[in-house]
Amino acid sequence: MIGRLNHVAIAVPNLDAAIATYRNALGATVSKPQAEPDHGVTVVFVELPNTKIELLEPLGEGSPIQAFLDKNPSGGMHHVCYEVDDIIGARDRLTAEGARVLGSGEPKIGAHGKPVLFLHPKDLCGTLVELEQA
Ligand code: CO
């Protein structure tokens, strides 16, 4: 059911510093910062030949990545995003298998303008998983 790895997301306490690290030390191409108020984050994408890295900084009060950064003050790997053809079909299959969908259970529009869902890490090998309809 799952397709390509769309991205790996890293939560960071300071987006400008993280952009500088990826651009200058790693020599990567980094997109412009994009505010995602619906998701409580500001995001940039690092373009790699075979996938992307999403760098996330908290935006506003009650950002869903703030608790993670409180536990991991220098930042850390936050989630992986897999592509699916049919996000509703994927959700229904996963919930039938006992996985919990975070939030309302309905897809939201993600940073690429496509529907996304997040699944509880306890149900998926300790890793927060984002599904994106490709
Ligand atoms: Co993501």
Side-chain angles (χ1 to χ4, degrees), residues 55-67:
L55 301 175
L56 301 170
E57 180 187 61
L59 173 65
E61 295 295 310
S63 170
I65 65 168
Q66 190 58 58

Side-chain angles (χ1 to χ4, degrees), residues 68-119:
F68 179 91
L69 282 170
D70 291 344
K71 282 184 227 145
N72 303 277
S74 52
M77 211 205 86
H78 186 259
H79 65 266
V80 294
C81 177
Y82 301 125
E83 296 180 0
V84 293
D85 291 333
D86 170 9
I87 199 161
I88 298 297
R91 177 197 65 188
D92 292 348
R93 175 176 170 153
L94 280 151
T95 52
E97 293 289 330
R100 286 164 288 177
V101 177
L102 300 187
S104 70
E106 295 305 317
K108 279 189 183 181
I109 298 302
H112 304 114
K114 294 179 176 168
V116 301
L117 282 176
F118 286 89
L119 297 152

Side-chain angles (χ1 to χ4, degrees), residues 7 54 79 130:
H7 60 268
E54 184 180 74
H79 65 266
E130 178 179 15

Side-chain angles (χ1 to χ4, degrees), residues 1 3 6 9 16 28 34 38 43 45 47 53 56 60 80 96 98 105 118 120 128:
M1 179 180 73
N6 186 275
D16 290 336
Q34 190 176 327
D38 284 356
V43 56
F45 285 97
E47 296 292 337
I53 304 297
L56 301 170
V80 294
F118 286 89
H120 200 295
L128 178 61

